[in-house]
Amino acid sequence: MDSQTKAEPMRVLVTGGSGLVGKAIEHVVKQEGGCLKGEQWTFLSSKEANLVDLQQTRAVFEKYRPTHVIHLAAKVGGLYLHMKENLHFLRDNLRINDNVLQTSHERGVTKVVSCLSSCIFPDKTTYPIDESMIHNGPPHDSNFGYSHAKRMIDIQNRGYFAQHGRRYTAVIPTNVYGPYDNFNFENGHVLSALMHKTYAAKKEGTPLQVWGSGTPRRQFIYSLDVARLFLWVLREYDEIDPLILSVGEEEELPIKDAVQMIADALDFKGQIVFDTSKSDGQMKKTASNAKLRRYLPDFTFTPLSEGIKKTCDWFVNNYDIART
């Protein structure tokens, strides 16, 4: 990066700015001093531009003239919708990603940090999974369209570097949760859907029905931790190769432990029933955060019980605006 680019304050465009991670980055930028003097941060929602459309993508880049892009926008749905419409998710996400990356290149954007998903990892694999293993076999069949489109961001980043010297990179968060998540019973992420279910069970005085046995293990990361790490990646991380953003392997815990934390946070005293007729999905997806720790040995993650409490409080206080 030449000194000229270094000297001018960044103009950052965040696609998918109204989602879980986008809202967390906005909080860190506006409330935690994440915005340096002279910087401009724009949080884009799909209402302002449909990034599947190249003309709309170009228009929004023309309007905000970003020097840096955080690319979070994606077409997503619940498990069931992905299974039914894999082709749809493949094509829309390929288009969104190509439009954002190619327009960034054409307009001379210095750096793009895209968000991948832990669902892109190979289905049959050894654990823990690290950054070098992304392309070592097909992803889980349930959402192969979305997963392959996300993997292509990594391939495209390598291409922009090889052919044009562009420093476009990506991060792979594990299971993110926090305020502004999708709390829908069917389509929400696991913790958020469980928070909503627990809230409803408490209100109606009914048992809490948890789908599956509660034994699958997951690594959960609080959205504000992800946001703080995103800012570090944008400013400091110089590799093209992606970086897993996750708590350590030892923090992976059974869903049923998280359910208990949610029950405690919402003061739910009723019965908890695990419906074992429902599928458990993958039993574990252990990811290694060794590479992140080499860069940031002292980064402190929000403890899960604390993050769950904060998210539950947010959900209760913002029930009318939450995505349910």
Side-chain angles (χ1 to χ4, degrees):
M1 211 188 295
D2 57 56
S3 56
Q4 180 52 41
T5 332
K6 203 79 172 172
E8 74 166 317
M10 298 195 298
R11 289 190 300 277
V12 188
L13 181 66
V14 181
T15 73
S18 59
L20 169 64
V21 176
K23 282 291 192 187
I25 292 174
E26 185 174 23
H27 178 89
V28 172
V29 165
K30 292 179 176 174
Q31 315 288 329
E32 295 184 7
C35 177
L36 303 185
K37 193 175 187 308
E39 287 179 356
Q40 291 170 10
W41 286 74
T42 302
F43 294 86
L44 197 64
S45 90
S46 55
K47 287 189 186 71
E48 189 170 351
N50 175 10
L51 300 175
V52 174
D53 182 292
L54 180 58
Q55 296 327 114
Q56 290 188 40
T57 308
R58 283 178 170 159
V60 96
F61 273 74
E62 177 66 38
K63 180 176 178 182
Y64 295 111
R65 300 179 8 264
T67 59
H68 294 67
V69 172
I70 291 179
H71 175 38
L72 309 172
K75 275 282 163 73
V76 292
L79 177 70
Y80 182 66
L81 196 62
H82 275 282
M83 287 168 79
K84 212 169 56 174
E85 300 184 6
N86 265 298
L87 178 66
H88 174 92
F89 285 103
L90 175 74
R91 296 186 69 221
D92 274 2
N93 284 296
L94 284 173
R95 284 196 184 109
I96 290 170
N97 300 335
D98 186 60
N99 288 346
V100 168
L101 291 171
Q102 181 60 18
T103 305
S104 294
H105 166 60
E106 286 170 1
R107 297 199 58 95
V109 169
T110 304
K111 187 169 180 179
V112 180
V113 182
S114 296
C115 194
L116 308 185
S117 157
S118 56
C119 71
I120 70 172
F121 292 134
D123 183 30
K124 300 192 171 28
T125 183
T126 54
Y127 296 99
I129 299 168
D130 69 33
E131 290 83 356
S132 69
M133 297 157 69
I134 295 170
H135 303 283
N136 288 4
H140 194 268
D141 211 34
S142 59
N143 57 353
F144 70 87
Y146 176 79
S147 299
H148 278 295
K150 282 289 192 190
R151 281 186 185 188
M152 291 315 289
I153 291 179
D154 176 49
I155 304 292
Q156 213 162 337
N157 286 341
R158 294 186 207 179
Y160 283 113
F161 181 69
Q163 215 169 309
H164 303 291
R166 291 278 183 222
R167 297 232 163 245
Y168 297 171
T169 191
V171 295
I172 311 169
T174 45
N175 294 62
V176 189
Y177 70 96
Y180 297 98
D181 200 356
N182 180 354
F183 293 84
N184 184 278
F185 291 158
E186 314 288 321
N187 294 341
H189 291 123
V190 58
L191 288 194
S192 310
L194 284 166
M195 287 172 191
H196 190 187
K197 274 186 170 178
T198 309
Y199 174 84
K202 181 184 174 183
K203 212 163 145 176
E204 291 154 18
T206 53
L208 169 60
Q209 297 276 350
V210 181
W211 286 3
S213 66
T215 49
R217 305 172 74 87
R218 293 291 182 265
Q219 286 155 299
F220 295 106
I221 179 168
Y222 188 48
S223 59
L224 289 166
D225 292 343
V226 175
R228 293 164 192 136
L229 290 168
F230 249 104
L231 262 67
W232 173 82
V233 168
L234 186 69
R235 298 185 193 283
E236 310 293 340
Y237 181 71
D238 224 20
E239 293 184 43
I240 306 305
D241 283 339
L243 179 66
I244 290 171
L245 304 183
S246 178
V247 297
E249 295 159 52
E250 69 287 349
E251 301 288 326
E252 190 173 47
L253 91 174
I255 304 276
K256 62 169 179 281
D257 292 16
V259 171
Q260 195 51 58
M261 290 178 190
I262 291 169
D264 293 344
L266 289 168
D267 199 29
F268 175 77
K269 299 278 198 286
Q271 189 190 2
I272 300 174
V273 181
F274 291 90
D275 179 359
T276 49
S277 72
K278 296 280 196 295
S279 145
D280 268 335
Q282 285 166 290
M283 290 314 287
K284 64 175 188 175
K285 299 187 189 177
T286 325
S288 166
N289 74 348
K291 183 174 175 183
L292 176 66
R293 281 300 186 205
R294 282 201 298 279
Y295 278 104
L296 296 174
D298 301 323
F299 184 84
T300 313
F301 289 95
T302 304
L304 183 59
S305 55
E306 186 187 319
I308 282 178
K309 178 73 179 125
K310 286 181 166 160
T311 308
C312 285
D313 288 349
W314 182 88
F315 179 69
V316 171
N317 294 328
N318 296 277
Y319 186 77
D320 49 337
I321 63 153
R323 285 185 286 166
T324 55

